[in-house]
Amino acid sequence: MLYALKIAIRYLTASKSQTTLLVVGVAVGVFIFIFMSALIGGLAEFIMARTVGDMAHITIEAEATDPALLLPAGQGRILLVQQKDDQRSNVLPTAAAFVPIIEALPGVLVTSQEITGSGFLTRGKLVQQVSIMGLEPAKVSAIVHLASYIVKGRADLLAGQVIIGQTLADNMNLTVGQSVRLQASTGIDASLTVTGIFKMGSGGQDRRQAYVSLATARTLFAMPQAITQIEIKLNNLYDAPATAARIEAVTGLYATPWTEQAAQLLAALSAQAQTGLLLKSFALLTIVIGIASAMLLSTFRRRPEIGIMRAMGAKRSFVLVVFVTQGAIVGLMGGVSGALIGYLVLYQFSGPGSFKPGGLPIDVNQGAYGLAILLTTIGAILASILPARSAARVDPVTAIGQ
Amino acid sequence: MSGPLLEVRDLVKTYGSGEATTRVLRGLNLRLGTGELSALLGPSGSGKSTLLTILGTLMKPTSGQYDMLGEDLIGAGDAELTAFRNQHIGFVFQFHNLLPDFTALENVIFPTAVREGRESASARARGRDLLVRMGLEDRVDFPVANLSGGQKQRVAVARALMNSPELVLADEPTGNLDRASAIQVMNLIGEINRDEGTTFLISTHDEKIAATCRRQIVVGEGLLTG
């Protein structure tokens, strides 16, 4: 084995330019593999951060109930049929009591008790329909990272304060420090001071959303004890289905993981991952074909020498090991070079966390460097087997030409 | 000369099939004793190279018997023949056939290194001794590409002797050398045959070279004629 390694190295160093070209070719393939891994991984992370990052991973709401039957089944004539809808107007009267239990569950990062509803924001003659969300003052940025979207004022929510979107503020000529009247769908209204204006870049949010404190929401929706939902964030968002099932088992509350509400996003991410896998497979295939053809040429060129070695008593297995080892060395050298170049190039990118428009959301940490080197070396070994087998079967008499 | 080293009986070798069949060896019989120095003579196409190739276990005959050192080599498989060849048979070719990317010493020790799986110190010492004996003490670590034709052929002789084989087959070993180099190579072969008792079978067209051997074997139309 040691002697076969020496012969393999000697053959590679004897044709320096050919070996260099081969290693460069493999390195380029590995670079593409690593680039695709970092791009697809970074893109997925970026999309998740921009979508699921501002979503609750689990939402606890009152379960939608069937409309009550006013008559026992089979009696009387039905004059009106009301279809079951998905509006969960029901409240959670005792859910707040379960919050400490939920927060103690493994993987739960933070919970947020909320009251949601609709209403009208009025200022003089200007009236705008709004969605109202009441948040605990200490958890304003627990689910949606509101603080990062504030363009004016602060992300503080004490009683009597409201945070609104920039489009809504523009439509109502409002700015920080000014007063506005908010009337809930219950008919109850309150005079509030604008403490912050946010811009999320989402038309619906910026035009319609108004955040108030949980205390203000309790007054507006006449809910002294109850809440309408609990939103939960987890350490690992992919644990959401399992944790939601556990919450339901422990509390009896109706918990919905984000994956149920974002099936299309998951499908898109899965399609993107598969596309990346396909592109990486093509890069690997290119490497394998490149090495196989180069090794085939090399074994053809060295046929007389293979014949001499066989005549001198080299077994077929020895010849096989010499050429497979050459392939493995080329794969390893190309893999390591490509991974190193890949890391140095990708390191220049800012990464998905600080991604700027017009750039690429590449994550240098998702380059899969070790995997690229391993797969390339294995691929190179496999690619060398066929040429090496053909070399091992060389007839010494024909090869030597005696 | 002592007992027989090898014996072939009714050796037949044909190439091609049907009407294109060529019978190169037609039932040839040969016995070589240990320590013989024999020349194999005959015109081109008489079957000399084919006979050497079969004796070297690089090719199997179409039919016939071949025993060497008491072993039946006709029924042996490729791995067995390769190991047998490595240990008991040395080759010297007309065009030296050295490994071009290796030094003289690396070429000489190849038969031992490939068997042991490494270049041992003892193999290197023996290889060096052989090169010194060939008069190449100042060329030991030279790449063979930098050697003259005569020097390359002497390296090839040293390689053939590396594993102390009982038989060395030489196919036109001086055919590509000038007269001086040819005499030098033949003198070395004669010296080794005399000192170590190695059996040599040398294929040649050169009557003068053949005359330096103790026995002349003549092949004609696939049979021994003399």
Side-chain angles (χ1 to χ4, degrees):
Chain A
M1 186 67 189
L2 207 62
Y3 191 54
L5 177 68
K6 177 189 169 156
I7 306 261
I9 292 172
R10 182 65 58 86
Y11 278 172
L12 289 173
T13 51
S15 323
K16 285 192 182 66
S17 53
Q18 188 191 332
T19 304
T20 307
L21 264 175
L22 193 53
V23 170
V24 167
V26 173
V28 169
V30 171
F31 174 75
I32 293 170
F33 183 97
I34 285 171
F35 184 84
M36 290 312 302
S37 295
L39 179 62
I40 298 292
L43 199 58
E45 197 181 306
F46 171 73
I47 292 170
M48 294 296 273
R50 288 294 167 98
T51 51
V52 184
D54 275 343
M55 273 171 69
H57 298 159
I58 296 172
T59 305
I60 297 174
E61 294 173 301
E63 194 170 2
T65 51
D66 292 331
L69 286 172
L70 300 179
L71 281 173
Q75 290 185 15
R77 288 175 62 200
I78 296 171
L79 299 176
L80 175 68
V81 172
Q82 185 183 354
Q83 191 176 349
K84 178 180 174 179
D85 62 28
D86 62 354
Q87 292 293 315
R88 292 180 177 83
S89 54
N90 291 353
V91 296
L92 298 164
T94 58
F98 290 109
V99 167
I101 297 169
I102 295 167
E103 285 182 337
L105 288 174
V108 173
L109 185 66
V110 67
T111 62
S112 174
Q113 299 175 56
E114 297 160 0
I115 293 174
T116 57
S118 58
F120 294 96
L121 203 62
T122 56
R123 185 179 183 232
K125 290 181 180 177
L126 296 171
V127 180
Q128 291 282 321
Q129 190 180 357
V130 291
S131 294
I132 303 166
M133 179 173 278
L135 301 170
E136 297 170 84
K139 294 181 176 177
V140 172
S141 293
I143 306 298
V144 176
H145 198 254
L146 206 52
S148 66
Y149 296 117
I150 293 291
V151 290
K152 275 182 195 167
R154 302 179 314 277
D156 292 341
L157 274 180
L158 299 175
Q161 294 179 336
V162 64
I163 297 172
I164 57 173
Q166 187 167 48
T167 311
L168 183 60
D170 291 344
N171 289 346
M172 299 197 73
N173 293 324
L174 272 171
T175 189
V176 171
Q178 292 184 324
S179 294
V180 68
R181 182 159 291 278
L182 179 60
Q183 184 179 38
S185 54
T186 54
I188 302 168
D189 65 355
S191 178
L192 305 170
T193 304
V194 177
T195 55
I197 294 170
F198 65 82
K199 185 181 179 183
M200 293 185 185
S202 158
Q205 290 281 316
D206 293 348
R207 195 171 63 246
R208 289 217 167 153
Q209 193 66 50
Y211 291 98
V212 295
S213 70
L214 196 61
T216 303
R218 288 194 187 288
T219 306
L220 289 170
F221 293 100
M223 289 188 197
Q225 299 294 328
I227 52 175
T228 56
Q229 64 181 29
I230 299 172
E231 291 192 318
I232 301 164
K233 274 215 163 172
L234 305 174
N235 290 318
N236 182 355
L237 59 94
Y238 293 105
D239 290 342
T243 309
R246 185 175 288 182
I247 289 170
E248 285 194 347
V250 171
T251 64
L253 297 171
Y254 184 71
T256 312
W258 70 274
T259 47
E260 274 184 27
Q261 297 161 338
Q264 284 181 333
L265 174 65
L266 276 177
L269 287 172
S270 167
Q272 180 187 294
Q274 282 174 17
T275 308
L277 199 64
L278 206 64
L279 290 171
K280 287 191 281 186
S281 302
F282 283 141
L284 207 62
L285 193 66
T286 311
I287 294 171
V288 168
I289 290 172
I291 290 177
S293 57
M295 292 307 298
L296 212 56
L297 273 175
S298 170
T299 53
F300 185 76
R301 199 163 60 86
R302 295 205 181 266
R303 278 174 66 87
E305 291 170 57
I306 296 165
I308 297 164
M309 288 197 274
R310 293 277 291 125
M312 295 301 128
K315 290 182 179 167
R316 283 182 173 154
S317 57
F318 177 82
V319 177
L320 189 86
V321 172
V322 166
F323 287 95
V324 170
T325 305
Q326 279 189 69
I329 292 171
V330 167
L332 190 65
M333 284 174 67
V336 171
S337 314
L340 194 67
I341 295 166
Y343 182 79
L344 292 175
V345 170
L346 298 183
Y347 193 72
Q348 312 303 318
F349 287 87
S350 53
S354 51
F355 166 69
K356 292 178 182 62
L360 290 171
I362 285 172
D363 184 1
V364 68
N365 296 319
Q366 294 199 47
Y369 307 95
L371 184 69
I373 295 170
L374 182 72
L375 288 180
T376 305
T377 310
I378 291 172
I381 289 171
L382 294 176
S384 310
I385 286 175
L386 201 65
R389 275 170 61 95
S390 127
R393 283 200 291 260
V394 160
D395 172 24
V397 179
T398 317
I400 297 170
Q402 288 289 316
Chain B
M1 189 172 72
S2 56
L5 173 71
L6 67 86
E7 185 174 8
V8 292
R9 292 181 299 277
D10 302 322
L11 209 60
V12 174
K13 180 65 186 178
T14 60
Y15 293 106
S17 58
E19 289 182 4
T21 302
T22 308
R23 284 169 69 87
V24 180
L25 299 179
R26 300 162 179 265
L28 185 144
N29 294 296
L30 173 68
R31 179 185 281 205
L32 274 185
T34 303
E36 275 196 38
L37 175 59
S38 306
L40 189 62
L41 295 156
S44 295
S46 59
K48 295 192 306 293
S49 292
T50 299
L51 177 60
L52 283 187
T53 308
I54 291 170
L55 293 180
T57 71
L58 293 172
M59 182 197 286
K60 286 203 172 182
T62 308
S63 64
Q65 290 295 311
Y66 177 19
D67 298 325
M68 183 175 164
L69 293 168
E71 285 193 43
D72 169 22
L73 298 180
I74 298 297
D78 182 76
E80 290 167 79
L81 288 178
T82 304
F84 186 88
R85 190 162 63 233
N86 176 267
Q87 212 154 358
H88 303 293
I89 303 173
F91 292 91
V92 181
F93 303 101
Q94 182 177 357
F95 297 101
H96 61 79
N97 282 332
L98 299 173
L99 300 172
D101 297 316
F102 293 79
T103 65
L105 181 62
E106 286 170 335
N107 266 283
V108 171
I109 65 174
F110 182 87
T112 305
V114 80
R115 190 182 65 216
E116 295 179 345
R118 66 196 182 97
E119 290 180 335
S120 63
S122 58
R124 294 180 73 85
R126 172 158 172 77
R128 198 176 289 273
D129 285 349
L130 284 166
L131 285 170
V132 170
R133 192 164 182 184
M134 298 295 147
L136 295 168
E137 58 273 15
D138 56 344
R139 296 288 186 272
V140 170
D141 293 317
F142 268 48
V144 289
N146 296 352
L147 302 180
S148 70
Q151 288 171 333
K152 283 176 185 169
Q153 200 60 307
R154 279 184 279 158
V155 172
V157 173
R159 180 180 63 184
L161 298 169
M162 182 64 197
N163 282 348
S164 305
E166 285 82 357
L167 173 67
V168 172
L169 300 168
D171 193 0
E172 304 276 1
T174 58
N176 205 35
L177 302 179
D178 57 45
R179 178 55 62 185
S181 298
I183 291 168
Q184 197 177 15
V185 167
M186 283 312 295
N187 285 343
L188 279 167
I189 287 175
E191 192 183 305
I192 291 155
N193 169 258
R194 191 174 57 249
D195 296 350
E196 299 185 12
T198 307
T199 303
F200 281 86
L201 181 60
I202 301 162
S203 163
T204 182
H205 284 105
D206 192 326
E207 297 286 344
K208 286 180 182 169
I209 295 294
T212 63
C213 300
R214 287 192 290 277
R215 180 182 172 195
Q216 284 78 38
I217 301 165
V218 183
V219 182
E221 297 187 349
L223 291 165
L224 291 193
T225 57

